Amino acid sequence: MAKSVLSNETELSILEDISFEISAGETIAIIGTSGAGKSTLMTLLAGLDIPSSGEIELLGQPLSLLDEEQRAKIRSESIGFVFQNFLLIPSLSALENVTLPAVLRGDGEDSAKARGLLQSVGLSGRETHLPAQLSGGEQQRVALARAFMTQPEILFADEPTGNLDQHTAENIIDLLFAMNRDHGTTLVLITHDAVLAGRCERLLTIDAGRLVEPM
Amino acid sequence: MVFRWSWREIWSGQLWPVTAALTLIVACVVALSALAVRVEKVMTDQGRSMMAADLVFRSANPVPESLLSDAEDLELSLSRQIRFQTMAFSDNNMQLVSAKAVQSSYPLRGDLLLTGAAGLQKNAVQPGELWLAERLFSLLDVKIGDIVAVGDAELQVSGRIEAQPELAYNPFRTMPGVFIHYSDLDKTGAVQLGSRVQYRIFFNGENDALKELQDNHQAQAGDSWISEENQGRSADLIIKAKQYLSLTILMVILMASVTLVLTCRHYAASRAESVAMLKSMGAGRRWLRGWLLSQAAVMFSCSLIIGSVIGIALEFLLRLPLQGILPQQLPGYGWLPFAFGASVALLIGLPALGIPLLRLLDTAAIEVLQKQNSKGSKKNWWLAAAPVTAFLLFYGASKLVWMVCIGLILLFLVLAAISYALLHLLSSGKWGAAMHLALSRIKRSPQTTMMQLAALSGSLMLVAVIWLVRADLLGDWQQTLPPDAANVFALNIAPEEQRRYLQQLDNNSIQRSEAYPIIRGRLTHINDLNAKDKAAENNQDVHALRREINFTWAEKLPVYNELTAGKWTAENAVSIEASLAADLGISVGDKLSFSVNSLPFSARVNSIRTVQWQSMKPNFYFIFSKDVIAQMPATWLVSFRIDEKQIPVLNQLGRDYPTVTLLDFRTMGERVQSMLVQISWSLSVLAALGVISGILLIFTLLRLSLKQRQNEITLYRTLGAGRKRISRTLWSEYGVMAAAAGLTAVAGAEALLFSLMKWGFQLQPSVHIIMWFALPALAIVIVFVSLKSVIQQLLTPLK
C-alpha cells in the first residue's frame, strides 16, 4: 500500500510500496528518523486514516472498505492507544480517564476494573486526582491503564516515552511490556529509540517512506 | 459520567467563560426586560392617569351608540364627559369658563381632588355640585356656598378643584375650569344644535379589548382617539425612553453575543485534541454528538438558572435609585422576562455554540497524531439564520434598531479597512525593536487582528453610543423644559398697565420672558387663495385655521425660535411657524392675508421658524413686523417663573391687576419635571449598566486574546527574551490596537449617533468633541488594566 497527500497543489508521497504482516501476539517496533513516515504508517494501521492505494486488513477486516464509523467501532472494540503526550482528558479524574474507553464502547463505568488497572500501574490512591495533579510519568501510567481497560487485541504506542526523563521512561517501558505480556496483546510500538525497539520481537525500519528491511 | 464530565468542564475546564457569557446574556435580558416591563407599566400608568383613563375617544359630535355598545360587549368600563365653554355669573361678576360635565365615575384613572366646605376632601363629582378652579373664586368674587350660574343652570359652589387629570399644556387653551355633574348638563342649556361642544368617552379595561375597540371604530373627521402614546409632551418622553430601553437591551445583547462567539471559538479550539483522542479510541459521531449536546444542555441549564437569579438581583439593584420616584406598589413583571431571557440565550447560543461545536465534531481522528491543516467548513453557518430571523420578526419594524445594525455593518466594513491601512502605514515606519515586533505580529495574523479590532472597536462604539444617546436625550429634555422654566403666564395685560406690570415683576427679581402684544385674528388667504381650500388641497385639517389665534408683532424674533428659512426683515413682513408652513405649503415670499375684527390686511412671509410649543415660553404661529399690526388694539402677554417664596408676589399681582388673567402652571410643571427626573434616572442607570457590561466584555476579550498568546510568550521567555522586551512588545501591540480601535469607534459612534438622533429620535444631532479624546483614552486604560492583570502569569518561563 501507499499513502500520498496533496500539499500546495502537488502530490507528496509519504509512504510507498509498503507490505508486511503482523501476527497476533507479536511485539513489533516501527523505527525510523523524523519525517520518515512512522506516524503516518501507524495512523493507517490503526484505521485512523486510509491508504491512497493498496489495502490494509485489520483483524480480518479490509479497512478501505469501511466507513469512518465502522473503523471507529473496530478501534473501540479491539484497539488501545498510548500517546507520546498522554492525551488524558483534563477535566476527568485518573479513574474516570481509565474507564473512558469502556464508556465509549457502551459498557458503562467498570470502576472496579479500572481501580485494578490503576493499582497494577502503581497508582492506587491517586484515583481521584486530575491529570494536572499528576507528574508526566504518572499521567503516562494512567494512559497505560486506560489502554488496557477494554482488553484490546492490539496496542499502538506512539513514542510512549518521548516526553519522559530516562528513569521514568524505563519504568514505563517495563510496565508496558509487562502488561502486554499479561494481557497477551499484539504491540505495535513506534519509536526512534533503538534500545527500546530492541526489546520488541521484530523491527520494521522506515526510511523516506519505504520499508527498508523487514526483519 | 457524561453529566459529571460536563459539569466539570464548566467549573474547572475551559467552558466557564462560555457559561459566563451565556449567563450574562440571560441576566441582562431578564433584568432589563423585567425593568422595562415595570417601568413601561409605571410610565403607561402615569400617562394614563394624566389622561384620566386607559383610552379616550374625543369627538366634536355626539358619540355613536355603536361605540358604547361595543365597549359594553368588550367589558370595558366607561365614563362620559362633555366639555364646553360658557359664561359663569356670580352676583358680582361674570367670566368665560371651560366647563366639564362628568359622571361620578370620573376619573377612571388619575386623581381628582376636590376640597369642599370645612376642608372636606372628595374625589368625584355628584349631581347638583359645582366645583371651581382656584382662580374663579377671585375672578367671580365668590366663596363656597354661593350661587353661580353656569349657562342657565344655577348651582351652589361646592368647593375648589385642587388637582385634576387632563391638564392641558398649551397656556392659550386653558380657561379657568369648572366641574359639574353630567346629569346637570341639560339645565345649563349649553349644549344645543351648533354649539361648540367636545364629547369625550373614557374607557378602562384590558389592553386587547381596548385595542379591539379602537380598531373597530376608526376615527372619522372631527373624532380622535387619545392613548398614552399620542398625548403630547409626556407621551413623547415615554416613547423616547422606551426606544432607549430597547436600544440598550439590544446593544447589551450584541456585546454579550460577541463575547459568547469568541469564548466559544476558544473553547472549541482547546478541545479539538480531546475530540480527536476520543475518536481514536473509537468514539462514534453519535456518542460525540450526545457528549457535546449534554455539555451544551448542562451549560444552558446552569446559565438559565444562575442568569435568572442574577437578573432578578440586578433588576432590584437597578431599581434602587428609582425607589423614591417609582410607586410603592410595583406592578409584577410575570414570567415574560424569563421566557425572553431564555429565548434570547437559545437563539444566540444556537449559532454561537452550534457552529464551533459542530465543527469540533468534524475533527479527524488522525489529528491525535498528526495536525491536519484543515480549513473550517462553513456548512453549519445556516444556524446563524435562527437569531437573524427572530431578530427580523421582533425588531423588523423598529427604525432605530435597523439604524444600529446597518451602522454596525457599515462601520465594520469601512473602518476595518481604514484601520488596517493605518496599521500597515505604521508598520512601514522606523520603530524600536519592541514596536517593530508588535507591528509585525499584528500584520502577520490579519484575520485574528481584524477580529480583535472589530470586537474592540465595536464594543467601544456601543458603549459610547449608549452613554451619549442618554446625554443627548436628557440634554434635549432639559432644553425644552429646564428646571427654571416659566410656570405662570399673565394674559390680557392692558397696554397702559404693561410697563408697570413688568416693573413690578422686575422689582421682585422674578425671572420673566419678553412681553408680547396679543391680537386675535385669523389667516384667510394664501397668495390670494382661500386658506381653508389650500389646506384641503394639502389634505390637512389645520387646527389653526378653525379658530382665532394669537398674533403678535416684534422688532426681532425670539431667540429661542430657530430660523429654518429666510431671515427677519422689518417691513410688511410676517414670520411663520415651520409645521404650519409645511401643512399649508407656505414658503418664504408668499403673500398671506389675515383678518382681525373683520379688518383685512396682508403681509409677505420673510422667514420660517421652528417653535418648541412645550417650552413654557410665549410662542406664536405668526409674528409680524411692527408696521403691519402695531396700530391695532392689543393686550400684552408675559411668562415668568414663581418660586415657592415668591407666592405672595403672585397673590399681590392678582389683587393689583384684577383684569389680568394669570395662568398658573406650577402644578403641571412640577409633574412633568418629576416625570423627567424619573425617566432621566432610569436612563442613566440603564446607560451605566450598558457601559459596565461593555467594558467587562472588552476586558474579557483582551484577557482571552492574551491567554491565547501564552504558548508563544512562554516560548519567547524560554528562548531567553527578557521580561522587559516581551512586556514592551505586548504593550506596544495592544496599545496600537487600543488606539486604532478607539479612533475607529469614535468615528463609528459619531456616525451612528448622528443617524440615531436625526432619524431615530428626531432630535438635533450634535458633535461630541470630548468623546474624540475620551474613547481612545478609555480603550487604552482598559487595555492597560487587562494587560496588567495577566502579564505576571504570561511572563512565567516554561516549567
Side-chain angles (χ1 to χ4, degrees), chain B residues 122 128 134 190 225 246 323 461 494 539 552 571 598 642 757 779:
Chain B
K122 298 180 76 178
E134 176 73 47
W225 284 102
S246 54
Q323 236 157 28
M461 181 184 80
N539 281 325
T552 194
E571 258 173 62
S598 311
I642 290 289
M757 281 298 138

Side-chain angles (χ1 to χ4, degrees), chain B residues 613-648:
Chain B
W613 291 106
Q614 282 93 18
S615 65
M616 303 299 264
K617 289 172 181 149
N619 273 314
F620 303 91
Y621 282 118
F622 296 101
I623 301 178
F624 294 87
S625 60
K626 194 175 174 183
D627 58 324
V628 184
I629 57 167
Q631 73 288 354
M632 294 181 191
T635 58
W636 290 73
L637 156 89
V638 67
S639 72
F640 49 88
R641 171 152 193 104
I642 290 289
D643 292 331
E644 207 54 41
K645 57 180 189 300
Q646 292 165 322
I647 293 170

